[in-house]
């Protein structure tokens, strides 16, 4: 299953040396394991305020499903140890976290 994020508001920056470059727009697409809420990979297309276009691809290498129950609401939290590739060249490693709120009220 593949989903793409909807409209939202947020912000972020890319760091190039000591320079912080503001992100103007980002579009996230995620692939999930067998109709579950477990993300397996992600792709981000982003545009900076200077008009530069970049891509970030993430491949989940290990996954921990968690759940948070609070005040009649249940949120599934997916923590993925992820290998990231920036513009098809540079690699880095870190966490990707997806939240899925299953409102039960």
């Amino acid at each position: 299953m593949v989903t793409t994020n909807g409209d939202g508001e947020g912000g972020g920056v890319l760091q190039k040396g000591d320079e912080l470059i503001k992100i103007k727009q980002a579009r996230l697409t995620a692939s999930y394991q067998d109709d579950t809420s477990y993300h397996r990979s992600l792709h981000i297309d982003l545009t900076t305020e200077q008009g530069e276009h970049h891509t970030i691809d993430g491949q989940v290498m290990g996954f921990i499903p968690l759940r948070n129950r609070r005040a009649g609401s249940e949120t599934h939290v997916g923590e993925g140890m992820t290998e990231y590739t920036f513009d098809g060249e540079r690699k880095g490693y870190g966490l990707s976290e997806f939240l899925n709120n299953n409102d039960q009220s």
Side-chain angles (χ1 to χ4, degrees):
M1 176 171 77
V2 175
T3 61
T4 302
N5 66 314
D7 293 335
E9 197 172 309
V13 295
L14 291 177
Q15 183 173 354
K16 193 180 219 180
D18 290 335
E19 182 183 11
L20 297 178
I21 303 166
K22 288 186 179 181
I23 296 171
K24 178 181 178 182
Q25 183 179 32
R27 183 156 187 86
L28 168 69
T29 304
S31 296
Y32 294 86
Q33 175 183 326
D34 303 325
D35 295 330
T36 69
S37 61
Y38 303 163
H39 67 285
R40 303 310 303 162
S41 64
L42 56 102
H43 176 83
I44 304 167
D45 289 304
L46 62 90
T47 305
T48 67
E49 284 191 339
Q50 290 89 350
E52 297 175 334
H53 298 282
H54 298 283
T55 61
I56 300 171
D57 290 293
Q59 187 64 44
V60 176
M61 301 167 9
F63 187 84
I64 301 171
L66 303 169
R67 182 174 50 205
N68 183 358
R69 292 183 189 146
R70 188 178 302 178
S73 183
E74 182 174 297
T75 301
H76 291 241
V77 181
E79 298 279 352
M81 181 60 192
T82 305
E83 177 184 74
Y84 293 99
T85 306
F86 182 76
D87 285 341
E89 299 174 10
R90 300 185 72 178
K91 289 202 183 283
Y93 298 88
L95 290 177
S96 56
E97 180 179 80
F98 280 47
L99 305 175
N100 183 13
N101 190 344
N102 297 320
D103 190 1
Q104 296 179 357
S105 52

